[in-house]
Amino acid sequence: MDGAPAEPKLEALKADLAKESRRLKLNFDELKSGGFIKQTQKDLFTVRLRCPGGKVTSRQLAKAADLADRYGKGEVHITVRQSVEIPYVHYQHFDTIAQELRSVDWSVASCGPRVRVPTACGGCRYNPNGLMDTQALCQEVDKRFFGTPTGHHKFKVSFSGCPIDCFRTREMDLGFQGVLEPKLDEDLCNGCGLCVKACEEGALKLENGLPVRDLSKCNYCGDCVKVCPVDAMVAHRKGWLARAGGRHGKHPLFAYEVVKFISDDQVYALLERTLAWYKEKGQGRERIGATIARLGLEVYQAEVTRSLGLETVETAQERRKFWAGGNLYV
Amino acid sequence: MSSQTQLDLRGILCPMNWVHTKLRLEELAPGELLEVVLDDGEPMRNVPRSLKAEGHRILEVNPEGEGHYRLLIRRGAD
């Protein structure tokens, strides 16, 4: 096909679109940021719904089903990042859908170079492995940071309640995982050895009838505390381990552990300062992992985490216990 | 100790060993004792933790030959 005549056609199309948009009172720029994703099929879009932590009410879920029946093809897509999407929606219905979503206190998600909807596991509310309340923090982070323009590329955040890390914090631009530091009260310990059995890291062994912890192996999962029958092994402190600079996609990058045992408030502070740093230091459409790789992790640590006074993870040796190896680390 | 208060769970996999333990404990009154024999490995990693989570008390952990353990448990309150 000859490219030359396409231009007037395109202009006509744009004018058409503008007219249509005015008629429907739509702002297409807003829509582009708002999780309406263009499909292969002409005029059809996928509506991505905002489901922080994968949590929706049954009323909202019923509304999604209803909207899919009326404006889509009677199907929804459950995405890898915990969203519910309604495919095959004609753009003429955007306004109606937005209105209907508001009626159940719901809205669409984001796409583009913005902070995305954060994901999270069930956390400590009903999962026996959970150490931290991922859901509460995820909802609050969504409230405070969702949709923030980064100036460069997408920015993904997730929360895992424990070191099993079901929510893959290593693949996030900034990921948060629950950690627990155990402490032994030697006077209470009866030397039963159940904590040694419970520790999958081989970080505990009995010496003179008491468990001794090898810090180079302990991944702060808290299993020793959860099993101790006499409450001799207790939680000295709990908090979040943060990982920065991860991503998935065509060129996956595993994130670095950057700080540990930070509080909810420090999570907000770290997000805020990391986003400001990324905005300032990032180039073009690079993800923050590329910015960190280009400038060096040390620069990120000095300008972000250490300047916030957080407890940093400083050495490769300290990070070593958190991964198993593989071709990413040649 | 009567057979009513002993449970040999050797060869029973997780989580069925926990289910057996739990059902037997429910037959006892709070404060009564139960002895269970568990294989080393997964059972010893999981069952003691579940016991604690549901408020029971492990009084003794005794290693026995052939890779298993004898646990003495005091039933917790409901």
Side-chain angles (χ1 to χ4, degrees), chain A residues 129 197 223 225 228 231, chain B residues 40 45 49 52 57 69:
Chain A
N129 290 313
K197 294 254 164 249
D223 283 355
V225 171
C228 179
D231 293 328
Chain B
D40 199 3
R45 204 193 299 288
R49 178 169 151 178
K52 184 184 181 184
R57 183 71 178 260
Y69 285 77

Side-chain angles (χ1 to χ4, degrees), chain B residues 29-47:
Chain B
E32 284 193 302
L33 302 179
L34 172 70
E35 214 171 47
V36 297
V37 183
L38 287 172
D39 286 320
D40 199 3
E42 282 298 303
M44 276 298 283
R45 204 193 299 288
N46 296 328
V47 177

Side-chain angles (χ1 to χ4, degrees), chain A residues 198-239:
Chain A
C199 181
E200 292 186 316
E201 304 301 305
L204 289 172
K205 61 175 183 221
L206 283 183
E207 275 176 24
N208 302 318
L210 291 176
V212 176
R213 189 166 65 118
D214 180 348
L215 199 56
S216 75
K217 289 180 178 168
C218 176
N219 68 355
Y220 313 112
C221 70
D223 283 355
C224 53
V225 171
K226 287 178 177 172
V227 78
C228 179
V230 291
D231 293 328
M233 194 71 90
V234 292
H236 175 51
R237 55 178 180 158
K238 287 185 197 179

